[in-house]
């Protein structure tokens, strides 16, 4: 168990701060108590004992990334900063936008002992992508990838760093994938997930403002369902719901998470949709809190 204290710019504790662990990878969130304290639990750890994660404010666009060494496992502190937005495009050599490419951001984080992948998302219409929860002063190495007949094609851009309180999105250089055509993408399209057959739970007659949808393998259903149930508890918002989609039969057990049967509409496995069923985030892990607040129409500025 590692302990972490979350404070704001005034060094006041952030009650309800939402923490996710990036390395070793875990699905789901932790929530800080009224004193800004949170305990992170692990069955196993890397040999060097380092833990890397990110944290966001539950109501405001503030966050941070952190690395905890074994020596600081019982007294680590992380301070939130105003988050910024990073945007860009994925194109081919002719500047034609490529949809459905995977965009990944990594960094050399102090204390992490190497390169850390902070987030992954996908490109949508016109090859555009956006990340609304970039942490200031963290140099991001951006890479895009897509699959064509020859295999995986990758492209990189120069490192990008944002400053606290940047009001305008930070536009990055194009990530160029020569010879690649658009892939199957869900971002910026409608995902009629409410029409899928229901296996567990019940589908509300009234759509919420935002829904986090996770496509999970049948053999990992319980892990993902428990993680989503925790997300719902931590958010405590009536205007945000969660759902899990599987492509086979599962035993619902005691799970009350809405579970449907279907296949992912694209390469991604996690989708955030708004009240109109439009996909506003497509990726491979839970969306940033800032994106959920945006979709719910009440993000702090």
């Amino acid at each position: 168990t590692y302990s972490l204290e979350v404070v704001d710019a005034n060094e006041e504790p952030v009650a309800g701060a939402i923490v996710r662990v990036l390395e070793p990878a875990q699905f789901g969130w932790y929530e800080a108590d009224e004193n800004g304290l949170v305990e992170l639990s692990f069955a196993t750890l890397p040999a060097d004992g380092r833990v890397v994660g990110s944290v966001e404010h539950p109501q405001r666009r503030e966050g941070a990334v952190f690395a905890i060494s074994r020596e600081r496992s019982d007294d680590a502190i992380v301070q939130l900063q105003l988050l910024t937005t990073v945007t860009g495009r994925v194109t081919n050599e002719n500047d034609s936008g490529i949809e459905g490419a995977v965009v990944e951001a990594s960094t050399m984080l102090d204390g992490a002992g190497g390169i850390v992948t902070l987030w992954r998302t996908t490109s949508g219409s016109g090859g555009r992508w956006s990340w609304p929860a970039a942490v200031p002063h963290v140099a991001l190495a951006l890479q895009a990838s897509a699959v064509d007949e020859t295999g995986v094609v990758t492209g990189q851009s120069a490192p990008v760093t944002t400053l606290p309180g940047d009001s305008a999105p930070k536009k990055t250089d194009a990530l160029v994938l020569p010879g690649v055509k658009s892939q199957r993408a869900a971002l910026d399209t409608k995902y009629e997930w409410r029409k899928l057959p229901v296996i567990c739970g019940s589908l509300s007659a009234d759509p919420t403002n935002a829904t986090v949808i996770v496509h999970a393998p049948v053999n990992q259903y319980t892990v993902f369902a428990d993680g989503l149930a925790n997300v719902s508890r931590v958010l405590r918002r009536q205007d945000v719901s969660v759902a899990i989609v599987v492509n086979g039969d599962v035993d619902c057990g005691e799970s009350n998470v809405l579970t449907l049967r279907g296949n992912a509409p694209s390469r991604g496995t996690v989708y955030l949709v708004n009240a109109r069923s439009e996909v506003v985030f497509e990726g491979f892990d839970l969306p940033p809190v800032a994106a959920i607040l945006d979709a719910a129409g009440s993000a702090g500025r």
Side-chain angles (χ1 to χ4, degrees):
T1 299
Y2 280 36
S3 297
L4 178 70
E5 180 181 359
V6 184
V7 299
D8 62 17
N10 298 318
E11 299 188 359
E12 295 295 327
V14 180
I18 296 173
V19 179
R20 74 181 74 203
V21 175
L22 304 174
E23 293 186 6
Q26 293 184 346
F27 180 81
W29 290 342
Y30 293 88
E31 180 184 20
D33 64 16
E34 65 274 11
N35 298 312
L37 299 174
V38 58
E39 288 194 345
L40 312 176
S41 301
F42 307 94
T44 59
L45 281 173
D48 61 9
R50 297 184 189 275
V51 171
V52 180
S54 65
V55 56
E56 286 187 82
H57 196 285
Q59 287 97 30
R60 301 198 298 265
R61 193 182 295 276
E62 299 174 7
V65 293
F66 61 86
I68 307 175
S69 65
R70 197 184 299 276
E71 293 74 23
R72 298 300 304 273
S73 62
D74 59 355
D75 63 353
I77 301 176
V78 63
Q79 187 172 38
L80 304 189
Q81 304 179 68
L82 291 174
L83 296 173
T84 59
T85 298
V86 178
T87 65
R89 292 179 70 224
V90 182
T91 70
N92 61 18
E93 69 276 20
N94 299 317
D95 198 39
S96 295
I98 297 174
E99 301 176 9
V102 177
V103 178
E104 177 180 299
S106 57
T107 192
M108 287 288 294
L109 191 64
D110 287 345
I115 297 175
V116 178
T117 298
L118 296 179
W119 47 263
R120 290 193 298 162
T121 186
T122 60
S123 58
S125 176
R128 288 180 288 273
W129 61 269
S130 176
W131 188 264
V135 177
H137 302 306
V138 176
L140 300 176
L142 300 173
Q143 175 179 286
S145 63
V147 179
D148 70 0
E149 305 81 33
T150 64
V152 179
V153 179
T154 61
Q156 286 136 2
S157 75
V160 175
T161 303
T162 64
L163 298 176
D166 279 351
S167 56
K170 178 80 170 183
K171 294 184 179 179
T172 65
D173 296 336
L175 294 160
V176 181
L177 303 179
V180 173
K181 299 178 182 179
S182 286
Q183 319 279 299
R184 190 166 58 126
L187 187 64
D188 300 326
T189 68
K190 277 202 169 186
Y191 178 14
E192 300 292 355
W193 65 277
R194 292 177 62 86
K195 296 181 179 179
L196 297 175
V198 175
I199 303 175
C200 312
S202 58
L203 188 62
S204 171
D206 299 319
T208 54
N209 289 359
T211 305
V212 179
I213 304 168
V214 174
H215 283 256
V218 169
N219 62 354
Q220 297 182 43
Y221 169 75
T222 301
V223 172
F224 285 97
D226 289 347
L228 274 180
N230 182 56
V231 165
S232 187
R233 285 193 297 269
V234 170
L235 282 174
R236 297 187 186 91
R237 297 181 64 105
Q238 296 298 316
D239 55 357
V240 179
S241 59
V242 299
I244 186 168
V245 181
V246 293
N247 62 358
D249 294 324
V250 295
D251 180 2
C252 298
E254 298 181 0
S255 172
N256 57 3
V257 174
L258 174 62
T259 306
L260 309 104
R261 180 181 288 108
N263 296 306
S266 64
R267 185 176 174 183
T269 57
V270 180
Y271 305 88
L272 175 64
V273 300
N274 59 23
R276 297 179 296 280
S277 294
E278 297 163 340
V279 178
V280 295
F281 169 88
E282 175 187 350
F284 305 88
D285 199 350
L286 292 169
V289 177
I292 297 174
L293 298 180
D294 274 340
S298 58
R301 302 291 179 180

